[in-house]
Amino acid sequence: MRGRRALIAALVLLFGVVGAQAGSEGRGAHTLSPEGLAKVSDYIRNEIATGKFPGAIMLLQQHGKLVYYENFGVRDVATEISMSADTIFRLYSMSKPITSVMAMMLVEEGKLSLDDPVSKYIPAFADMKVGVEKKAEDGKIALALEPLNRPVTIKDLMRHTSGLPYGYYGGGKVRELYADANLFHSNLTNAEFAAKIATLPFVEQPGTMWDYGYSTDILGRVVEVISGKTLLQFEKERLLDPLGMTETAFYVADPTKFPRIAEPMPDDRNISPTTQVRDPRLPLKWESGGGGLVGTIGDYARFAQMLLNGGSYEGRRYLKPETIALMASDHVGPETKIARDQNYYPGGSSGFGLGFAVRTSVPEGTSWPLGEYRWDGVGGTFFFIDPEDDLFGVFMVQTPSQRGRIQLALKTLIYQAMGR
């Protein structure tokens, strides 16, 4: 434990993730036991020993203080360089909460409303239709285009009810169109990307189904239109630089940092049947608000602590507490009559807010906290924020094939370590 305390002290100096609000320890939070945390470490070590992934980093912070931090294994089996705090990871969909925060900054300033139609900022969206499959008399399936029952709104983009799918799962003619459009591989600016999306139909009527897809990428373009800056320029100005998230970007521009990039196992590089993990060394025009960022665990820990603090960090306010509360509330509950797609990644005990999954019921056999909110990335990374226990966790790894299994196992072990 003495060695652990020395390591934590060094890490605080290295990436300064302390920044909780005063008085947060009076919430009656559960405490993480050393024995329980040892099981977290043992689990990760066993995953590496059995060849599931090369290495990982786990960080837990409670009451603004590191209570658990450990580097495991190596960044890349090819180089055998040890995992360390400055390792750079593909964040993929952990980009979505950051883009959502940028949009909510504009909402607070009165420059954007959740009820605004997307077409107010991207006019081509006014002409989009919904693709509906219809069977002809000869039995063949044809795609008919029907008008929208109502415009797609900013809120639809933030809660994934826009009708914009990814297209790599679910089947059907509309999703096939998205898959054929090859959007993941088309290195377009956000303006060009939005224009290409606008030539495709929606897969369902807006506000009718939680359907995971390109919504947050379009939200990123809306942020650009309002701010008059590229998404990264606006993020750096308003969030990344002030928070000290200096390693977070859409690709790694400095070749001297290339050895710091974490890689999955050589046979674990498929995101989908047609898409492999991207190479963050290659310059990109596409600043994907839905899945494009890379960064370090220290950078994301600062972001998570800011959210847990209710929108402030080290004396600077980024969002109001009521804005964070709105984002971390369920916006797809039963009263909305919004259906859920076949995968519904938040899971049965969670709804979805404005950028995060939100726990709305306690999983059977646990006492996991209501109001915990979280998201993850297809590369294996995940984070969660637990306001009840004044705790957040960030796990960094690169393993597309193992991500769901590992995330559930680790969350279970962490909450068991708290007696939950």
Side-chain angles (χ1 to χ4, degrees):
M1 287 302 291
R2 183 178 299 169
R4 169 69 59 77
R5 284 196 295 270
L7 174 61
I8 288 175
L11 289 164
V12 170
L13 290 173
L14 177 63
F15 52 70
V17 293
V18 173
Q21 303 286 61
S24 59
E25 294 195 42
R27 301 182 187 182
H30 293 71
T31 302
L32 291 148
S33 73
E35 298 80 11
L37 291 176
K39 292 180 180 178
V40 172
S41 299
D42 289 344
Y43 176 85
I44 298 171
R45 289 194 193 98
N46 183 65
E47 291 291 305
I48 294 169
T50 53
K52 302 300 193 306
F53 49 82
I57 310 177
M58 184 83 228
L59 180 155
L60 298 170
Q61 186 156 302
Q62 190 173 33
H63 310 315
K65 299 172 185 175
L66 278 168
V67 292
Y68 176 92
Y69 177 91
E70 197 155 348
N71 299 308
F72 299 90
V74 297
R75 297 171 179 167
D76 183 350
V77 292
T79 65
E80 296 187 337
I81 299 173
S82 294
M83 191 64 76
S84 59
D86 63 349
T87 302
I88 298 169
F89 296 83
R90 302 161 181 84
L91 298 178
Y92 284 108
S93 288
M94 275 169 57
S95 309
K96 289 179 171 72
I98 292 177
T99 305
S100 300
V101 162
M102 306 317 300
M104 293 307 289
M105 287 181 177
L106 295 172
V107 170
E108 282 194 353
E109 293 169 8
K111 297 175 181 176
L112 179 66
S113 168
L114 294 178
D115 295 325
D116 282 344
V118 175
S119 58
K120 179 178 178 179
Y121 308 99
I122 307 173
F125 266 61
D127 300 321
M128 291 178 69
K129 302 288 193 291
V130 177
V132 178
E133 293 185 5
K134 296 193 175 181
K135 185 179 288 189
E137 290 184 6
D138 61 3
K140 291 183 178 178
I141 302 294
L143 192 64
L145 297 179
E146 297 184 351
L148 300 182
N149 292 337
R150 67 160 175 81
V152 178
T153 66
I154 299 302
K155 187 175 184 179
D156 287 321
L157 295 180
M158 296 190 77
R159 66 182 183 179
H160 293 286
T161 57
S162 66
L164 295 173
Y166 272 137
Y168 58 78
Y169 69 88
K173 290 190 173 296
V174 174
R175 296 180 196 278
E176 288 173 6
L177 290 175
Y178 277 79
D180 292 344
N182 207 24
L183 292 162
F184 276 118
H185 303 284
S186 54
N187 187 18
L188 306 172
T189 65
N190 282 343
E192 294 166 342
F193 183 88
K196 189 166 184 177
I197 284 276
T199 67
L200 300 169
F202 294 109
V203 73
E204 60 257 330
Q205 288 286 347
T208 61
M209 180 175 287
W210 189 94
D211 199 337
Y212 202 51
Y214 289 111
S215 292
T216 316
D217 291 292
I218 298 302
L219 184 67
R221 175 55 187 160
V222 171
V223 169
E224 290 187 338
V225 171
I226 295 171
S227 69
K229 299 176 170 67
T230 68
L231 184 57
L232 182 61
Q233 285 172 344
F234 188 64
E235 286 176 345
K236 284 180 69 63
E237 176 186 309
R238 299 293 300 276
L239 182 76
L240 302 181
D241 287 353
L243 262 181
M245 296 174 68
T246 57
E247 301 285 359
T248 302
F250 287 101
Y251 62 91
V252 182
D254 182 355
T256 65
K257 295 181 179 180
F258 288 175
R260 289 166 48 192
I261 297 170
E263 298 292 348
M265 300 298 283
D267 61 350
D268 185 16
R269 302 186 67 86
N270 289 331
I271 297 298
S272 74
T274 59
T275 304
Q276 286 204 323
V277 293
R278 69 180 186 88
D279 185 351
R281 300 163 184 82
L282 301 178
L284 280 178
K285 287 194 295 181
W286 188 24
E287 296 183 354
S288 168
L293 288 173
V294 299
T296 61
I297 194 163
D299 276 15
Y300 216 89
R302 290 185 183 90
F303 177 68
Q305 185 69 67
M306 181 273 290
L307 295 173
L308 180 56
N309 290 349
S312 66
Y313 185 86
E314 293 184 340
R316 178 171 177 143
R317 181 154 297 286
Y318 296 86
L319 287 174
K320 298 174 183 176
E322 53 266 37
T323 300
I324 300 291
L326 180 68
M327 296 178 74
S329 301
D330 184 17
H331 290 265
V332 297
E335 73 283 354
T336 66
K337 296 183 170 57
I338 292 170
R340 299 175 173 186
D341 75 1
Q342 59 181 4
N343 289 323
Y344 190 62
Y345 297 119
S349 65
S350 294
F352 200 84
L354 304 179
F356 320 97
V358 182
R359 187 155 322 277
T360 54
S361 63
V362 179
E364 188 175 353
T366 78
S367 60
W368 290 11
L370 299 177
E372 175 240 36
Y373 58 102
R374 65 197 182 277
W375 206 234
D376 52 55
V378 76
T381 61
F382 74 84
F383 81 105
F384 68 96
I385 294 173
D386 171 3
E388 183 177 314
D389 294 304
D390 193 26
L391 169 79
F392 75 82
V394 185
F395 183 64
M396 292 292 199
V397 71
Q398 304 284 244
T399 176
S401 68
Q402 304 297 312
R403 64 186 190 276
R405 177 184 64 82
I406 291 170
Q407 181 177 167
L408 178 59
L410 283 173
K411 285 289 292 294
T412 300
L413 288 169
I414 290 165
Y415 277 118
Q416 284 176 349
M418 301 175 76
R420 306 200 71 151

